[in-house]
């Protein structure tokens, strides 16, 4: 049977998951009973946030108008800029992509970025113009943008509504006509690409693979190319959508392998699986390794939970190759972990999973980028935690990471966006008109777009702007460490590195926000911001304590206990700093909006 392996790529919200669902329905891969809101979004969190995180492969059958039957492997990819690494992994397993564009929005930042990722991987692109049921849908406009901005021919484009199902079948015919079948030699040595992996407590690591050449079946001894480690294959199979066992996997096929692999580090994403007896001489060209770029400290609110947190982090990292962690100690917060993420959304998701799936109460410190410090003695080091910055007299200079930022925005909002970018120390490199849409190209410190930048961008453009970025080199900046003192004690976990010109306004903002969110105590608590030894801003948490049991008029002891328990619950995300109870929000005061 002929095979087509493809992925769907799109800007966030252009309808990728909805379209994938429709395709599943058309190919009857899922019974209505099995159908959930968004079939392919497997994690609970994904459904809640309406975004796709993990790439999920699916095996579908389609009988074409010609009467011939085809096997399709559909690999879903995430849409958010934080998860670009997952996209590039998934694309390596395909020959082609459906590039979905919302007919009412046109081409946006991730449309372009994902399209280039596909083109750079040598994939064929089939444009799909979606949401044609919307009154403001502009199909010719969207096609023109695709041709103009990305340079792909629009004549094969299929216009559909994933919502109503209109014309979706034409996509399936388009896939057969325009996306190439996989090539591969069943008799060649085994060469299998690992494009994802997950950990299962019964089976060990389940590697998601695309077979390039050769075949793999139960009992084969496989070798992981980069480490040379060998394992005996336990089972192979595909996703339909539940993992289903099959006899073997051959060239062009997408499926999974289990081989009693206990450590996910043994099956790194992008690595090649080959046969131990008859190995290939060269691996499949590798993926870009996922690099955490944003770091934040995670501490248990109850210090007794430290071992539980370590265990949870270990488990999570089994399923998330892009996430890193190492032990860290804070004077203020005790024992915790410095965790690395791909971006703020990724950090949010990891934290939410730790709390939900593992029942942990956590305090997260403000996310920060990695700075490079050159000491006066000429040595250089990378600083993941602002608290680790050397004394000012030992610092020759501090360098910060820059990114190339592209913002796409309708003409009328260009002024607003340029104002924001200037405020964030951005330097304009170019401005390109694509019809009524303008692309602003900037170079900007990564740290400046970390906090509330995306929200501000959206609110300044009524939601119309979109953005993407890629890392540039480190550049010297006039940076200083801003210390925060609570009750006259410096709190290491609250320190941030900021640009000198912004230190005063940021210090003011942080102390005000903290004074607002820290509950009143028995005594007045001063909150101060300082640079070096110099106090630059101050606010006070006034004294007072609400006695929640006062209104219980003695008597009813259960009611009293309930109230106390409720109060205790409310405190779960609090941390005792000396004599002061500080809630999670205070640790993220630096993130609070500019307004
Ligand atoms: N009117 C209309 N709405 C659609 C259509 N397709 C998708 N939508 C809606 O657009 C929104 C986004 O759709 P999703 O399928 O979740 O988008 P996505 O691209 O998968 O988003 P991510 O998973 O976050 O990347 C949802 O509210 C859908 O109901 C369509 O053809 N017509």
């Amino acid at each position: 049977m002929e095979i087509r392996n493809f992925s769907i790529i799109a800007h966030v919200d252009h309808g990728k998951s909805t379209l994938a669902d429709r395709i599943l329905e058309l190919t009857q891969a899922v019974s209505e009973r099995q159908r959930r809101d968004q079939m392919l979004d497997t994690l609970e969190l994904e459904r809640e946030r309406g975004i796709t995180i993990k790439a999920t492969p699916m095996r579908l059958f389609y009988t074409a108008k010609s009467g011939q039957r085809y096997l399709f492997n559909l690999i879903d990819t995430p849409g958010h800029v934080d998860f670009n690494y997952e996209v590039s992994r998934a694309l390596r397993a395909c020959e082609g992509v459906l590039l979905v564009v919302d007919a009412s929005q046109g081409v946006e930042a991730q449309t372009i970025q994902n399209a280039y990722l596909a083109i750079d991987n040598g994939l064929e692109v089939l444009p799909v113009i979606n949401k044609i049921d919307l009154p403001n849908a502009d199909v010719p406009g969207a096609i023109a943008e695709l041709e103009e901005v990305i340079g792909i021919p629009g004549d094969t484009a299929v216009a559909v509504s994933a919502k109503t199902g209109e014309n979706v079948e034409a996509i399936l015919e388009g896939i057969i006509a325009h996306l190439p079948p996989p090539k591969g030699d069943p008799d060649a040595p085994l060469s299998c690409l690992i494009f994802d992996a997950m950990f299962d407590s019964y089976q060990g690591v389940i590697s998601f693979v695309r077979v390039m050449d050769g075949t793999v079946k139960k009992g084969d001894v496989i070798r992981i190319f980069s480490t040379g480690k060998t394992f005996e294959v336990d089972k192979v199979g595909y996703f339909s959508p539940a993992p289903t066992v099959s006899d073997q996997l051959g060239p062009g096929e997408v499926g999974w392998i289990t081989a009693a692999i206990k450590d996910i580090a043994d099956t790194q994403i992008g690595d090649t699986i080959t046969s131990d007896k008859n190995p290939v001489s060269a691996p499949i060209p590798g993926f870009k390794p996922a690099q955490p770029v944003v770091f934040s400290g995670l501490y248990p609110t109850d210090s007794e939970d430290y071992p539980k947190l370590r265990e949870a982090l270990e488990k999570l990292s089994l399923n998330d190759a892009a996430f890193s962690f190492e032990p860290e100690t804070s004077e203020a917060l005790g024992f915790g972990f410095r965790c690395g993420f791909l971006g703020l959304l990724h950090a949010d998701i990891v934290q939410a999973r730790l709390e939900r799936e593992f029942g942990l109460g956590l305090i997260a410190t403000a996310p920060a980028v990695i700075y490079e410090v050159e000491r006066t003695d000429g040595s250089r080091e990378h600083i993941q935690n602002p608290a680790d910055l050397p004394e000012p007299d030992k610092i020759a200079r501090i360098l910060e990471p820059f990114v190339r930022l592209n913002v796409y925005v309708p003409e009328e909002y260009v002024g607003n966006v340029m104002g924001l970018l200037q405020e964030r120390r951005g330097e304009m490199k170019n401005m390109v008109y694509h019809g009524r849409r303008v692309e602003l190209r900037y170079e900007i410190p990564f740290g400046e777009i970390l906090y509330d930048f995306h929200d501000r961008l959206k609110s300044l453009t009524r939601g119309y702007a979109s953005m993407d970025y890629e890392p540039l080199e480190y550049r010297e900046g006039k940076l200083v460490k801003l210390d925060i003192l609570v009750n006259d004690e410096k709190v290491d976990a609250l320190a941030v590195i900021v640009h000198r010109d912004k230190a005063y306004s940021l210090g003011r903002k942080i102390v005000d926000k903290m004074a607002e969110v820290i509950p009143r105590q028995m005594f007045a608590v001063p909150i101060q911001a300082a640079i070096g030894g110099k106090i630059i801003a101050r606010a006070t948490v006034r004294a007072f304590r609400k006695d929640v049991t006062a209104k219980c008029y003695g008597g009813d002891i259960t009611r009293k206990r309930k109230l106390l328990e409720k109060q205790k619950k409310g405190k779960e995300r609090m941390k005792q700093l000396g004599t002061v109870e500080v809630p999670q929000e205070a640790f993220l005061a630096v993130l609070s909006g500019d307004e």
Side-chain angles (χ1 to χ4, degrees), residues 1-307:
M1 197 182 321
E2 274 217 49
I3 301 179
R4 294 291 185 276
N5 295 315
F6 66 98
S7 239
I8 309 181
I9 53 176
H11 187 78
V12 174
D13 277 347
H14 281 203
K16 188 184 63 222
S17 304
T18 313
L19 180 64
D21 275 0
R22 277 288 166 237
I23 292 177
L24 296 193
E25 270 176 19
L26 269 180
T27 53
Q28 281 156 7
V30 202
S31 73
E32 202 57 32
R33 191 178 52 80
Q34 278 176 298
R35 212 183 115 85
R36 280 175 304 154
D37 248 352
Q38 295 276 320
M39 239 343 281
L40 287 184
D41 292 1
T42 41
L43 292 170
E44 188 186 344
L45 267 169
E46 293 182 18
R47 254 174 295 134
E48 233 165 67
R49 290 172 191 238
I51 50 154
T52 316
I53 303 164
K54 273 280 180 199
T56 318
M58 285 278 244
R59 180 181 169 106
L60 320 164
F61 293 94
Y62 175 63
T63 307
K65 294 217 168 97
S66 66
Q68 178 151 359
R69 241 167 110 67
Y70 288 87
L71 164 60
F72 287 169
N73 287 303
L74 161 57
I75 295 171
D76 197 24
T77 60
H80 192 273
V81 67
D82 274 10
F83 296 99
N84 244 336
Y85 80 103
E86 296 244 356
V87 180
S88 83
R89 277 181 209 176
L91 293 184
R92 285 288 183 125
C94 304
E95 279 74 37
V97 293
L98 306 183
L99 175 63
V100 180
V101 179
D102 182 332
S104 68
Q105 304 287 323
V107 167
E108 295 198 67
Q110 276 101 56
T111 318
I112 302 174
Q113 199 176 16
N114 286 324
Y116 284 152
L117 220 49
I119 293 165
D120 290 347
N121 274 302
L123 305 191
E124 210 52 56
V125 178
L126 179 66
V128 174
I129 313 299
N130 188 30
K131 306 200 187 182
I132 55 170
D133 58 295
L134 290 177
N136 58 339
D138 175 8
V139 176
I143 292 178
E145 278 189 359
L146 277 175
E147 292 184 330
E148 217 175 280
V149 181
I150 308 177
I152 47 177
D155 52 354
T156 56
V158 187
V160 305
S161 167
K163 190 173 173 186
T164 66
E166 187 183 345
N167 209 28
V168 172
E169 189 147 15
I171 298 176
L172 302 180
E173 295 291 330
I175 289 169
I176 294 166
H178 302 297
L179 305 186
K183 295 193 210 82
D185 178 357
D187 301 320
L190 178 67
S191 161
C192 247
L193 173 77
I194 305 173
F195 65 89
D196 205 346
M198 64 179 255
F199 188 79
D200 178 273
S201 36
Y202 297 106
Q203 326 237 24
V205 176
I206 304 177
S207 309
F208 295 18
V209 298
R210 154 72 198 269
V211 181
M212 298 301 184
D213 287 310
T215 51
V216 58
K217 57 181 189 310
K218 182 183 165 76
D220 286 354
V221 179
I222 52 169
R223 187 194 297 175
I224 310 295
F225 200 93
S226 70
T227 62
K229 286 195 189 172
T230 57
F231 300 92
E232 188 180 322
V233 175
D234 191 20
K235 283 180 212 154
V236 301
Y238 44 84
F239 300 86
S240 186
T244 308
V245 176
S246 67
D247 295 341
Q248 61 170 45
L249 291 174
E253 290 199 276
V254 172
W256 52 266
I257 297 177
T258 58
I261 302 172
K262 289 287 163 246
D263 188 351
I264 208 155
D266 286 330
T267 54
Q268 291 204 29
I269 311 304
D271 211 338
T272 302
I273 293 179
T274 188
S275 143
D276 188 45
K277 249 198 319 224
N278 184 17
V280 285
S281 52
I284 300 156
F287 284 55
K288 286 185 215 156
Q291 282 284 5
V293 290
V294 175
F295 289 79
S296 156
L298 290 182
Y299 292 83
T301 39
D302 179 350
S303 44
E304 304 221 319
D305 279 345
Y306 179 77

Side-chain angles (χ1 to χ4, degrees), residues 199-474:
F199 188 79
D200 178 273
S201 36
Y202 297 106
Q203 326 237 24
V205 176
I206 304 177
S207 309
F208 295 18
V209 298
R210 154 72 198 269
V211 181
M212 298 301 184
D213 287 310
T215 51
V216 58
K217 57 181 189 310
K218 182 183 165 76
D220 286 354
V221 179
I222 52 169
R223 187 194 297 175
I224 310 295
F225 200 93
S226 70
T227 62
K229 286 195 189 172
T230 57
F231 300 92
E232 188 180 322
V233 175
D234 191 20
K235 283 180 212 154
V236 301
Y238 44 84
F239 300 86
S240 186
T244 308
V245 176
S246 67
D247 295 341
Q248 61 170 45
L249 291 174
E253 290 199 276
V254 172
W256 52 266
I257 297 177
T258 58
I261 302 172
K262 289 287 163 246
D263 188 351
I264 208 155
D266 286 330
T267 54
Q268 291 204 29
I269 311 304
D271 211 338
T272 302
I273 293 179
T274 188
S275 143
D276 188 45
K277 249 198 319 224
N278 184 17
V280 285
S281 52
I284 300 156
F287 284 55
K288 286 185 215 156
Q291 282 284 5
V293 290
V294 175
F295 289 79
S296 156
L298 290 182
Y299 292 83
T301 39
D302 179 350
S303 44
E304 304 221 319
D305 279 345
Y306 179 77
K308 206 171 146 196
L309 175 58
R310 174 196 296 280
E311 212 176 290
L313 290 170
E314 276 165 4
K315 280 203 181 131
L316 263 192
S317 67
L318 290 177
N319 274 322
D320 189 341
F323 158 68
S324 73
F325 67 98
E326 57 183 57
E328 160 180 276
T329 342
S330 151
E331 276 167 40
L333 297 176
F335 293 106
F337 294 91
R338 194 79 190 159
C339 301
F341 308 98
L342 298 169
L344 283 195
L345 178 70
H346 187 212
D348 260 11
I349 287 168
V350 168
Q351 198 185 338
R353 290 188 65 186
L354 287 169
E355 293 186 326
R356 192 175 313 189
E357 293 169 29
F358 300 92
L360 287 159
L362 292 176
I363 292 287
T365 64
V369 300
I370 304 178
Y371 293 92
E372 192 174 309
V373 174
E374 194 182 301
R375 289 182 183 247
T376 42
D377 65 10
S379 66
R380 283 188 170 214
E381 62 190 307
H382 283 101
I383 302 279
Q384 286 180 6
N385 182 349
D388 296 339
L389 208 64
E391 290 307 311
D393 60 334
K394 296 212 169 67
I395 299 176
R397 50 192 198 127
I398 305 179
L399 296 89
E400 59 185 334
F402 266 67
V403 294
R404 181 176 291 123
L405 173 74
N406 292 331
V407 178
Y408 302 82
V409 61
E411 218 169 16
E412 57 267 41
Y413 302 112
V414 166
N416 287 355
V417 173
M418 285 173 66
L420 173 66
L421 287 165
Q422 184 169 355
E423 192 185 294
R424 300 298 175 104
R425 301 195 279 133
E427 193 185 317
M428 184 155 91
K429 289 294 165 190
N430 206 347
M431 182 162 151
V432 186
Y433 280 80
H434 305 293
R436 275 191 49 251
R437 200 173 279 260
V438 181
E439 179 186 355
L440 296 168
R441 295 184 188 159
Y442 271 72
E443 291 180 5
I444 194 167
F446 184 37
E448 292 282 350
I449 61 166
L450 209 51
Y451 310 137
D452 77 327
F453 177 79
H454 193 242
D455 289 346
R456 288 259 290 147
L457 183 67
K458 286 281 181 191
S459 71
L460 286 172
T461 60
R462 299 184 55 203
Y464 282 115
S466 57
M467 59 176 260
D468 70 64
Y469 58 82
E470 58 177 329
L472 290 170
E473 69 287 345
Y474 274 72

